Amino acid sequence: MEKNLKDYFTTGEFARLCNVKKQTLFHYDDIGILSPEIVGENGYRYYSYTQLEVFSTISMLKDLDMPLADIKKYLDHRSPEAFIRLLERQQQEVDEKIKELQWLKRFIDTKLRITKEGLSVPINEIFLETRPEEYLIATEYLGDDVEKDIAAAVTEHLNFCHSLDIYSAYAIGGMIPISCIVPGESYIYSYFYTRTDQSGSDAVIVCPAGDFAVCCDNQGYGRVEEICARLLQYAADHGYRPGAHIYEDLLLDEMSAGGYDNYTVKLSLPLLRA
């Protein structure tokens, strides 16, 4: 017996090899998921080298969020066929998690780019921007310039996007018809929109590639009417025909700036050749 024990690991040795605390091994023994191969008359526990592979499998399945009770069921009825079924299920779950992580990375990358743009963009200065073709999910707005109505319409727009399984890193934008840009009068939206890379949906509106006159302001919505008028004047002064709408986007919003007066708003007017 003493000679054979030289080929086994004590609880402490096995725990160090597996990079866990001894209490973890005690817990696994208590629930019957991994018990020591030998328990001496003195109560000492000994694990074999073959149990390292079992522990590794348990750890892998735990990392995949498989409950210990389910792991125990598998180990109690293990077979090559059962192992194949288990791996195929886990393979599918891993593939789904990879997709979720890829989406989350794209979301974070986009948010980072937008926020950095909000910190570096010229403020209250008109500049030109050439953009590629973009895709928008747009919903029409027929209400008045009333905050409660606008908030309800934005919520409905967001729900519509979610119904299409579209979750965008971009803040919801508004399309302001140039026909409503009148000095001394408040502007009104005609559409709310969300940028997307999903071009195949019937709900998608294509925003053609082209040049835009752009102006940003870091004082929220207070000077939107004034800036819109300046953009239209810029188009006229430089021999452009303005597009039908001015696009209103948020670069810094509640998540980064806090409070309407601190938002950074980006206003973009499509420039067409006269």
Side-chain angles (χ1 to χ4, degrees), residues 131-146:
R131 298 182 190 170
E133 184 176 83
E134 295 180 306
Y135 306 108
L136 311 177
I137 299 293
T139 53
E140 190 173 12
Y141 179 63
L142 301 174
D144 297 322
D145 183 27
V146 178

Side-chain angles (χ1 to χ4, degrees), residues 30-190:
D30 289 340
I31 64 176
I33 198 171
L34 178 64
S35 298
E37 196 162 300
I38 296 175
V39 178
E41 294 180 359
N42 55 6
Y44 288 172
R45 303 157 179 246
Y46 298 92
Y47 294 83
S48 72
Y49 70 91
T50 61
Q51 291 182 289
L52 289 169
E53 181 66 24
V54 177
F55 184 88
S56 177
T57 300
I58 294 171
S59 297
M60 180 269 290
L61 295 175
K62 273 189 64 185
D63 288 343
L64 295 172
D65 298 326
M66 189 172 179
L68 288 176
D70 292 344
I71 296 174
K72 183 179 184 303
K73 285 180 183 178
Y74 165 73
L75 292 175
D76 289 344
H77 303 91
R78 72 189 86 169
S79 70
E81 293 78 13
F83 193 50
I84 289 173
R85 291 193 297 271
L86 173 67
L87 291 178
E88 287 177 342
R89 286 197 303 271
Q90 296 304 320
Q91 183 183 58
Q92 183 177 356
E93 291 185 13
V94 168
D95 287 341
E96 291 173 358
K97 288 180 179 180
I98 288 174
K99 288 181 181 179
E100 290 175 3
L101 289 173
Q102 288 173 335
W103 176 86
L104 184 58
K105 185 180 186 306
R106 290 195 300 270
F107 186 95
I108 291 173
D109 288 346
T110 301
K111 277 294 187 187
L112 274 172
R113 178 175 55 77
I114 295 170
T115 305
K116 288 178 179 179
E117 181 185 357
L119 289 175
S120 62
V121 74
I123 297 300
N124 206 24
E125 297 178 15
I126 295 178
F127 59 94
L128 290 179
E129 198 172 77
T130 300
R131 298 182 190 170
E133 184 176 83
E134 295 180 306
Y135 306 108
L136 311 177
I137 299 293
T139 53
E140 190 173 12
Y141 179 63
L142 301 174
D144 297 322
D145 183 27
V146 178
E147 285 191 8
K148 185 176 180 180
D149 293 345
I150 291 173
V154 167
T155 300
E156 289 176 4
H157 170 81
L158 190 61
N159 290 336
F160 177 66
C161 290
H162 291 173
S163 73
L164 299 174
D165 202 26
I166 291 175
Y167 298 83
S168 177
Y170 291 92
I172 294 173
M175 295 168 65
I176 305 170
I178 63 170
S179 58
C180 82
I181 306 301
V182 179
E185 295 186 16
S186 61
Y187 65 96
I188 193 69
Y189 300 104
S190 56

Side-chain angles (χ1 to χ4, degrees), residues 2 19 27 29 92 99 102 105 109 126 135 151 207 212 217 219 221 224 229 235 260 270-271:
E2 292 298 327
N19 197 30
H27 177 60
D29 185 21
Q92 183 177 356
K99 288 181 181 179
Q102 288 173 335
K105 185 180 186 306
D109 288 346
I126 295 178
Y135 306 108
C207 184
F212 291 75
D217 193 28
Q219 297 182 28
Y221 300 98
V224 168
Y260 277 7
L271 299 176

